[in-house]
Amino acid sequence: NGEEPIAGGGELAESIDVKFWYDDGDNAFEGLMGDHDTVIVFDRSYSMVETDASLQGSTDQYDPQKLQDAVDGAVSLVDQLEAASVNAAEPINISVVTFGNNGRVDVPLGTDYDGARNYLEGLPNSPNFDEDSSNREGTNMADGISEARSVLDGGDAEGDQP
């Protein structure tokens, strides 16, 4: 497109380890069995309920469906990881990290699937997402990813290093 690349713009992508899988229709995580840790990094900023920033202050800009869809997807992932963990040689550890103005670990790494599910399902009730709230947070994704990296660098729930 003729634009100059942003200095340091590739650093984030270079430090993320992403695994893709193909779903053959049974919604099972074949190939993800075994000893690994999963961190769900979730956006808790007001943009999750905002449809169009140019409508700031208008009631037309508020739509909580995007947030609910993201929560439903994250809860589905927790459910599937829990189901896969049953057949795994080692438990699949999960953590939930969120970011708004800053990143934070909301569910520590371990096998507390119910805790992860409950936390995620409670997010839409956070004051941050209230249409009239003054608690609206920004979108510091880099801090969320940094927190997730710290969780993963710390090893699994039993203290093993990755």
Side-chain angles (χ1 to χ4, degrees):
N1 63 10
E3 294 180 18
E4 291 294 316
I6 298 171
E11 292 176 27
L12 178 62
E14 292 168 3
S15 67
I16 298 174
D17 180 24
V18 178
K19 305 250 191 267
F20 291 93
W21 70 92
Y22 170 76
D23 180 11
D24 60 5
D26 63 0
N27 293 321
F29 283 96
E30 300 95 352
L32 287 182
M33 305 300 177
D35 185 16
H36 70 276
D37 299 331
T38 301
V39 178
I40 297 171
V41 182
F42 198 96
D43 184 351
R44 70 171 188 276
S45 72
Y46 189 75
S47 66
M48 292 298 289
V49 292
E50 188 173 50
T51 58
D52 183 347
S54 69
L55 298 173
Q56 193 88 27
S58 163
T59 56
D60 294 336
Q61 72 147 16
Y62 184 76
D63 180 10
Q65 191 59 49
K66 178 170 58 171
L67 171 64
Q68 190 59 56
D69 290 345
V71 166
D72 292 345
V75 168
S76 177
L77 176 61
V78 171
D79 292 342
Q80 292 180 43
L81 288 170
E82 182 178 28
S85 187
V86 170
N87 297 319
E90 297 287 328
I92 297 172
N93 296 309
I94 62 169
S95 174
V96 177
V97 169
T98 61
F99 61 90
N101 289 338
N102 61 354
R104 68 176 187 225
V105 178
D106 293 296
V107 178
L109 191 63
T111 57
D112 185 5
Y113 300 104
D114 288 334
R117 235 183 323 274
N118 291 337
Y119 178 80
L120 291 163
E121 289 171 343
L123 273 173
N125 298 320
S126 165
N128 190 51
F129 298 119
D130 187 295
E131 186 173 8
D132 300 317
S133 176
S134 61
N135 296 326
R136 296 178 183 173
E137 293 192 46
T139 309
N140 190 347
M141 185 183 343
D143 203 39
I145 291 172
S146 177
E147 285 293 323
R149 177 98 186 200
S150 294
V151 168
L152 292 172
D153 286 346
D156 66 24
E158 287 74 41
D160 298 335
Q161 291 299 312

